[in-house]
PDB file of all heavy atoms in Angstrom:
ATOM      1  N   GLU A 154     -15.071 -18.451  20.296  1.00  0.00           N
ATOM      2  CA  GLU A 154     -13.695 -18.572  20.189  1.00  0.00           C
ATOM      3  C   GLU A 154     -13.163 -19.645  19.279  1.00  0.00           C
ATOM      4  O   GLU A 154     -11.963 -19.639  18.878  1.00  0.00           O
ATOM      5  CB  GLU A 154     -12.976 -18.662  21.535  1.00  0.00           C
ATOM      6  CG  GLU A 154     -13.267 -17.489  22.530  1.00  0.00           C
ATOM      7  CD  GLU A 154     -14.542 -17.636  23.309  1.00  0.00           C
ATOM      8  OE1 GLU A 154     -15.433 -18.415  23.040  1.00  0.00           O
ATOM      9  OE2 GLU A 154     -14.677 -16.919  24.339  1.00  0.00           O
ATOM     10  N   SER A 155     -14.013 -20.627  18.993  1.00  0.00           N
ATOM     11  CA  SER A 155     -13.625 -21.807  18.194  1.00  0.00           C
ATOM     12  C   SER A 155     -13.917 -21.579  16.707  1.00  0.00           C
ATOM     13  O   SER A 155     -13.528 -22.350  15.864  1.00  0.00           O
ATOM     14  CB  SER A 155     -14.420 -23.081  18.662  1.00  0.00           C
ATOM     15  OG  SER A 155     -14.012 -23.338  19.951  1.00  0.00           O
ATOM     16  N   ILE A 156     -14.785 -20.555  16.448  1.00  0.00           N
ATOM     17  CA  ILE A 156     -15.070 -20.286  15.059  1.00  0.00           C
ATOM     18  C   ILE A 156     -14.095 -19.143  14.545  1.00  0.00           C
ATOM     19  O   ILE A 156     -14.376 -17.968  14.637  1.00  0.00           O
ATOM     20  CB  ILE A 156     -16.586 -19.756  14.893  1.00  0.00           C
ATOM     21  CG1 ILE A 156     -17.505 -20.797  15.622  1.00  0.00           C
ATOM     22  CG2 ILE A 156     -16.997 -19.609  13.446  1.00  0.00           C
ATOM     23  CD1 ILE A 156     -18.908 -20.308  15.841  1.00  0.00           C
ATOM     24  N   ILE A 157     -12.928 -19.572  14.036  1.00  0.00           N
ATOM     25  CA  ILE A 157     -11.927 -18.669  13.752  1.00  0.00           C
ATOM     26  C   ILE A 157     -11.979 -17.978  12.410  1.00  0.00           C
ATOM     27  O   ILE A 157     -11.382 -16.877  12.189  1.00  0.00           O
ATOM     28  CB  ILE A 157     -10.514 -19.291  13.950  1.00  0.00           C
ATOM     29  CG1 ILE A 157     -10.231 -20.438  12.885  1.00  0.00           C
ATOM     30  CG2 ILE A 157     -10.370 -19.818  15.311  1.00  0.00           C
ATOM     31  CD1 ILE A 157      -8.780 -20.914  12.856  1.00  0.00           C
ATOM     32  N   ASN A 158     -12.653 -18.543  11.453  1.00  0.00           N
ATOM     33  CA  ASN A 158     -12.750 -17.925  10.064  1.00  0.00           C
ATOM     34  C   ASN A 158     -14.121 -18.315   9.438  1.00  0.00           C
ATOM     35  O   ASN A 158     -14.586 -19.406   9.679  1.00  0.00           O
ATOM     36  CB  ASN A 158     -11.550 -18.330   9.238  1.00  0.00           C
ATOM     37  CG  ASN A 158     -11.347 -17.263   8.178  1.00  0.00           C
ATOM     38  OD1 ASN A 158     -12.063 -16.293   7.949  1.00  0.00           O
ATOM     39  ND2 ASN A 158     -10.213 -17.502   7.395  1.00  0.00           N
ATOM     40  N   TRP A 159     -14.524 -17.468   8.546  1.00  0.00           N
ATOM     41  CA  TRP A 159     -15.773 -17.770   7.828  1.00  0.00           C
ATOM     42  C   TRP A 159     -15.804 -16.872   6.593  1.00  0.00           C
ATOM     43  O   TRP A 159     -15.061 -15.872   6.488  1.00  0.00           O
ATOM     44  CB  TRP A 159     -16.993 -17.484   8.674  1.00  0.00           C
ATOM     45  CG  TRP A 159     -17.123 -16.106   9.244  1.00  0.00           C
ATOM     46  CD1 TRP A 159     -17.757 -15.025   8.723  1.00  0.00           C
ATOM     47  CD2 TRP A 159     -16.549 -15.656  10.483  1.00  0.00           C
ATOM     48  NE1 TRP A 159     -17.638 -13.975   9.494  1.00  0.00           N
ATOM     49  CE2 TRP A 159     -16.875 -14.291  10.557  1.00  0.00           C
ATOM     50  CE3 TRP A 159     -15.806 -16.257  11.505  1.00  0.00           C
ATOM     51  CZ2 TRP A 159     -16.485 -13.472  11.611  1.00  0.00           C
ATOM     52  CZ3 TRP A 159     -15.368 -15.479  12.487  1.00  0.00           C
ATOM     53  CH2 TRP A 159     -15.717 -14.060  12.618  1.00  0.00           C
ATOM     54  N   ARG A 160     -16.637 -17.228   5.678  1.00  0.00           N
ATOM     55  CA  ARG A 160     -16.782 -16.457   4.431  1.00  0.00           C
ATOM     56  C   ARG A 160     -18.277 -16.446   4.120  1.00  0.00           C
ATOM     57  O   ARG A 160     -18.958 -17.508   4.217  1.00  0.00           O
ATOM     58  CB  ARG A 160     -16.028 -17.132   3.222  1.00  0.00           C
ATOM     59  CG  ARG A 160     -16.138 -16.224   1.991  1.00  0.00           C
ATOM     60  CD  ARG A 160     -15.347 -16.870   0.851  1.00  0.00           C
ATOM     61  NE  ARG A 160     -14.006 -17.291   1.130  1.00  0.00           N
ATOM     62  CZ  ARG A 160     -13.464 -18.478   0.925  1.00  0.00           C
ATOM     63  NH1 ARG A 160     -14.146 -19.468   0.400  1.00  0.00           N
ATOM     64  NH2 ARG A 160     -12.184 -18.705   1.287  1.00  0.00           N
ATOM     65  N   MET A 161     -18.759 -15.299   3.687  1.00  0.00           N
ATOM     66  CA  MET A 161     -20.179 -15.230   3.291  1.00  0.00           C
ATOM     67  C   MET A 161     -20.127 -15.032   1.694  1.00  0.00           C
ATOM     68  O   MET A 161     -19.217 -14.598   1.123  1.00  0.00           O
ATOM     69  CB  MET A 161     -20.778 -13.910   3.861  1.00  0.00           C
ATOM     70  CG  MET A 161     -20.722 -13.855   5.365  1.00  0.00           C
ATOM     71  SD  MET A 161     -21.776 -15.086   6.167  1.00  0.00           S
ATOM     72  CE  MET A 161     -23.334 -14.478   5.922  1.00  0.00           C
ATOM     73  N   GLY A 162     -21.303 -15.453   1.117  1.00  0.00           N
ATOM     74  CA  GLY A 162     -21.427 -15.394  -0.319  1.00  0.00           C
ATOM     75  C   GLY A 162     -22.838 -15.473  -0.766  1.00  0.00           C
ATOM     76  O   GLY A 162     -23.715 -15.757   0.044  1.00  0.00           O
ATOM     77  N   MET A 163     -23.059 -15.286  -2.051  1.00  0.00           N
ATOM     78  CA  MET A 163     -24.411 -15.351  -2.620  1.00  0.00           C
ATOM     79  C   MET A 163     -24.670 -16.712  -3.160  1.00  0.00           C
ATOM     80  O   MET A 163     -23.910 -17.211  -3.986  1.00  0.00           O
ATOM     81  CB  MET A 163     -24.595 -14.245  -3.654  1.00  0.00           C
ATOM     82  CG  MET A 163     -24.504 -12.846  -3.202  1.00  0.00           C
ATOM     83  SD  MET A 163     -25.816 -12.351  -2.023  1.00  0.00           S
ATOM     84  CE  MET A 163     -27.198 -12.282  -3.085  1.00  0.00           C
TER      85      MET A 163
END
Side-chain angles (χ1 to χ4, degrees):
E154 298 89 340
S155 296
I156 308 167
I157 66 169
N158 201 356
W159 57 92
R160 184 180 310 128
M161 304 293 288
M163 295 297 285

